[in-house]
Amino acid sequence: MLRFTVRRLLQAIPTLFVLSVLVFAWLRMLPGGPASALLGDRATPERIAQLNAVLGLDDPIFVQYFRFLGRVLTGDFGNSLITSEPVMQEIARAFPATLELSAAAMFLAVLFGIPMGYVAARFRGRFLDNATVITTLVGVAVPVFFLGFLLKYVFAQELGVLPPSGRQDVLIDATRVTGIATLDGMLTGEFDATWDAILHLILPSVALASIPFAVIVRITRASVLDVQSEDFVRTADSKGLTTKVVRKRHVLRNALLPVSTTIGLQTGLLMSGAVLTEKVFAWGGLGTLLEQAIQQRDYPRLQGLILLFAGVFVLVNLLVDISYAIIDPRVRVR
């Protein structure tokens, strides 16, 4: 298993290298060049030449790339053009919020998606199956931002049982340890802060989980139906194994392989979905940071966020490969 994991880690290195080349090339392909894009309306030939000299953009292209790569490897993405803060500090401050929201959304999607997909496959063609399929279609079709506003209207405004936005009540002076509000309260013993953070987390995580939940349900249902018709399942039945053993060891375990892939892909896509969700619920994570970077043309911040999102996606896919090896030991050999 260790050899398999190391091999997958080594395979991720070329992916990250190619990505760094693409990001570097993208910065050089901006209209008028990076200096012109950074200066905006203040761009004049003299200022562009001066900024090119300051940023080292007049050096040979390979020198620029290896300088860029060296900074990235040390976690230096430069300073924000708007706040003048190091981009890495801004990302480190916002990342826990997005991590908390994305983890909660994926937890809900997996917790309810896999059982519902499995049950729908067991009762194929019946009312429960049809209701599940319709529910997943609605989950995919309804935009995240619309669902977010709808949840806020029903549970925050009409019923008043959940807070409408933010990560925590402004009156709660919670101690920050990790930046993850639900975890910090438990670490410091401030359980009222934890409960308040959980209440604030419910609506945005449900809204963000809607699409991955629907996709996981449908993939689980289709995968279980495919596995149920396999020869090894009929063989297990003919050998006299109990229905519980057949479903758990043979059907569900083999059906989880495509589901694992789906979970990995959806986890990476949650980053993009978090932009709208964080906007609706004033969450203040990486999605908000990305929106500001695009609107304000803050290219160092945008560059750092793109590399971070790509790194997270590669890491998630590595975890998916490892889960494959755990579910099906034959994968380790291949």
Side-chain angles (χ1 to χ4, degrees):
M1 188 66 185
L2 178 60
R3 184 184 304 170
F4 174 83
T5 304
V6 172
R7 188 165 65 246
R8 286 294 185 268
L9 280 171
L10 293 177
Q11 290 174 354
I13 294 176
T15 304
L16 294 174
F17 174 76
V18 171
L19 176 70
S20 69
V21 173
L22 292 176
V23 173
F24 176 80
W26 169 72
L27 288 173
R28 270 68 190 164
M29 293 171 61
L30 293 172
S36 178
L38 294 176
L39 291 171
D41 297 335
R42 300 169 298 170
T44 62
E46 295 77 13
R47 287 185 174 180
I48 291 175
Q50 183 180 9
L51 186 56
N52 281 334
V54 171
L55 298 178
L57 298 176
D58 51 358
D59 293 332
I61 193 68
F62 67 90
V63 174
Q64 295 183 43
Y65 172 72
F66 283 108
R67 185 190 301 127
F68 162 81
L69 185 62
R71 290 200 304 266
V72 169
L73 291 176
T74 59
D76 181 12
F77 299 115
N79 294 338
S80 168
L81 301 178
I82 306 302
T83 64
S84 298
E85 282 190 77
V87 172
M88 196 61 186
Q89 288 186 13
E90 294 186 334
I91 291 177
R93 191 162 53 242
F95 183 71
T98 299
L99 176 63
E100 181 179 39
L101 177 59
S102 301
M106 185 51 65
F107 174 77
L108 293 176
V110 173
L111 179 66
F112 295 101
I114 293 179
M116 283 190 65
Y118 178 75
V119 171
R122 282 193 57 193
F123 296 95
R124 180 183 183 183
R126 301 183 188 180
F127 172 78
L128 184 60
D129 181 30
N130 294 330
T132 301
V133 172
I134 293 174
T135 301
T136 56
L137 287 175
V138 173
V140 172
V142 176
V144 173
F145 70 89
F146 176 77
L147 179 60
F149 282 122
L150 184 62
L151 291 173
K152 287 176 65 173
Y153 175 77
V154 174
F155 292 98
Q157 182 173 334
E158 292 297 316
L159 299 179
V161 294
L162 292 172
S165 60
R167 297 184 62 199
Q168 217 162 22
D169 195 302
V170 294
L171 299 179
I172 294 182
D173 186 18
T175 305
R176 299 299 179 199
V177 180
T178 64
I180 301 176
T182 52
L183 178 61
D184 288 345
M186 290 186 286
L187 293 176
T188 59
E190 301 170 349
F191 298 108
D192 56 333
T194 297
W195 178 244
D196 182 73
I198 291 174
L199 292 179
H200 281 78
L201 183 61
I202 292 175
L203 292 184
S205 61
V206 170
L208 186 58
S210 59
I211 293 180
F213 163 76
V215 173
I216 289 172
V217 170
R218 294 181 70 85
I219 295 298
T220 303
R221 176 183 179 275
S223 182
V224 170
L225 290 175
D226 286 342
V227 172
Q228 284 178 345
S229 61
E230 294 289 342
D231 292 337
F232 65 84
V233 175
R234 289 193 289 269
T235 301
D237 282 328
S238 65
K239 290 169 63 176
L241 297 178
T242 63
T243 303
K244 182 178 180 181
V245 171
V246 172
R247 289 173 179 169
K248 181 179 179 180
R249 293 185 181 178
H250 298 278
V251 176
L252 185 58
R253 183 167 184 173
N254 286 279
L256 284 178
L257 288 175
V259 177
S260 297
T261 302
T262 302
I263 292 174
L265 293 174
Q266 290 298 315
T267 301
L269 293 174
L270 281 179
M271 292 292 185
S272 59
V275 175
L276 294 174
T277 307
E278 291 181 9
K279 182 69 174 179
V280 172
F281 292 96
W283 193 252
L286 292 178
T288 304
L289 209 61
L290 179 62
E291 179 201 10
Q292 294 173 352
I294 294 174
Q295 289 182 347
Q296 301 169 349
R297 304 177 69 183
D298 193 343
Y299 291 103
R301 183 191 290 178
L302 189 58
Q303 168 188 289
L305 289 170
I306 291 174
L307 290 173
L308 173 67
F309 290 159
V312 170
F313 205 89
V314 170
L315 176 61
V316 169
N317 279 275
L318 172 64
L319 295 177
V320 168
D321 288 341
I322 295 175
S323 71
Y324 261 48
I326 295 175
I327 296 172
D328 186 354
R330 295 172 298 177
V331 175
R332 305 176 202 171
V333 178
R334 294 196 295 267

